[in-house]
Amino acid sequence: GGEVLCAVRSSYGAFLGVRFSPDGRLVAAGGEDDVITVVDVRARAVIARCEAHSSWISAVVFAPTTLGAALQSGPRSKKDAVHDDVANTALGGVYRLVSAGQDCRICLWDLDADALLRQARSDVRGHGKSRRSTSSVSSSSTSRKSAASSGGKTPTVLRASHAPIISPLSAHYAHSEPLTDISCGNDGAIISADASGIVKWWAVSPAPPQFQLHPNASAAPHS
């Protein structure tokens, strides 16, 4: 079996959605605490807490490429797109994260992973190593369960309280009912679904981001 290398805990309740970035560097998780926790897997550190939603976060998803590749002008071949994505990731590209909440909103977040990691490490040093984060304290029962699931070793629970708090690039009231899921296409389009069974397709302009509903691009259950 595999080994659990590290873990992260929400400040309240359950995580309802978790996703890797396309290159596997970042993990974003959101849920009942109304906050998205972003982890740099390579550095094993919480690098951001995304706060804007006023209710549970139903789902999170990363755009297919880093923004440096996605915003290239002109037609791009599949080979060029892959090359650009790898290059931007290696240079510390900006990741586009999309979240869907039960507050009926879609939020867009731009994450400069390298800058956030530097800030997170600086904040931890500034608070001192002796200060313990509430997010790193686990109950004995939780510790026993974690140890059992990781082959007898208790995994490191990453601190989240000192991570930078960031605001969204854009927040859009997309539905009249709570959102249940979200997805991103390779062309930057966003698909959202709500609790009433409606699915919507969105085109998002680059800067500043603005949502435009594609004509006739919505679907609802047949009566």
Side-chain angles (χ1 to χ4, degrees):
E3 179 183 353
V4 179
L5 300 177
C6 59
V8 65
R9 180 176 296 113
S10 68
S11 58
Y12 169 81
F15 283 128
L16 303 178
V18 60
R19 288 291 185 277
F20 270 110
S21 62
D23 62 355
R25 177 180 177 180
L26 303 183
V27 168
E32 295 179 359
D33 62 357
D34 307 347
V35 175
I36 303 168
T37 302
V38 182
V39 177
D40 187 322
V41 178
R42 184 176 64 192
R44 296 188 192 176
V46 177
I47 63 169
R49 289 169 56 80
C50 307
E51 297 187 359
H53 286 285
S54 58
S55 188
W56 293 2
I57 296 166
S58 304
V60 293
V61 65
F62 283 91
T65 61
T66 54
L67 292 187
L71 298 181
Q72 293 275 356
S73 61
R76 310 293 291 164
S77 70
K78 186 178 294 185
K79 181 179 179 180
D80 287 338
V82 171
H83 173 77
D84 288 341
D85 189 34
V86 173
N88 273 278
T89 299
L91 294 173
V94 177
Y95 298 79
R96 170 66 54 83
L97 178 67
V98 185
S99 59
Q102 297 191 16
D103 57 0
C104 307
R105 293 194 298 172
I106 298 173
C107 290
L108 304 182
W109 317 80
D110 283 354
L111 308 173
D112 185 332
D114 288 344
L116 289 169
L117 178 59
R118 287 192 296 270
Q119 184 178 345
R121 285 174 169 169
S122 175
D123 290 346
V124 168
R125 286 193 295 269
H127 283 83
K129 294 183 179 180
S130 61
R131 181 175 175 179
R132 297 184 70 189
S133 163
T134 55
S135 64
S136 65
V137 179
S138 60
S139 66
S140 59
S141 61
T142 301
S143 296
R144 286 195 296 270
K145 290 178 181 178
S146 298
S149 64
S150 60
K153 296 180 180 179
T154 302
T156 300
V157 179
L158 302 178
R159 295 185 176 188
S161 63
H162 299 328
I165 296 174
I166 65 173
S167 299
L169 183 67
S170 176
H172 178 68
Y173 280 97
H175 291 247
S176 59
E177 296 292 331
L179 274 72
T180 56
D181 205 358
I182 198 86
S183 183
C184 287
N186 290 329
D187 59 353
I190 293 173
I191 303 175
S192 56
D194 71 20
S196 70
I198 291 180
V199 174
K200 294 182 179 181
W201 285 258
W202 303 92
V204 183
S205 59
Q210 293 185 354
F211 285 75
Q212 295 180 339
L213 189 63
H214 283 296
N216 302 320
S218 62
H222 294 291
S223 59

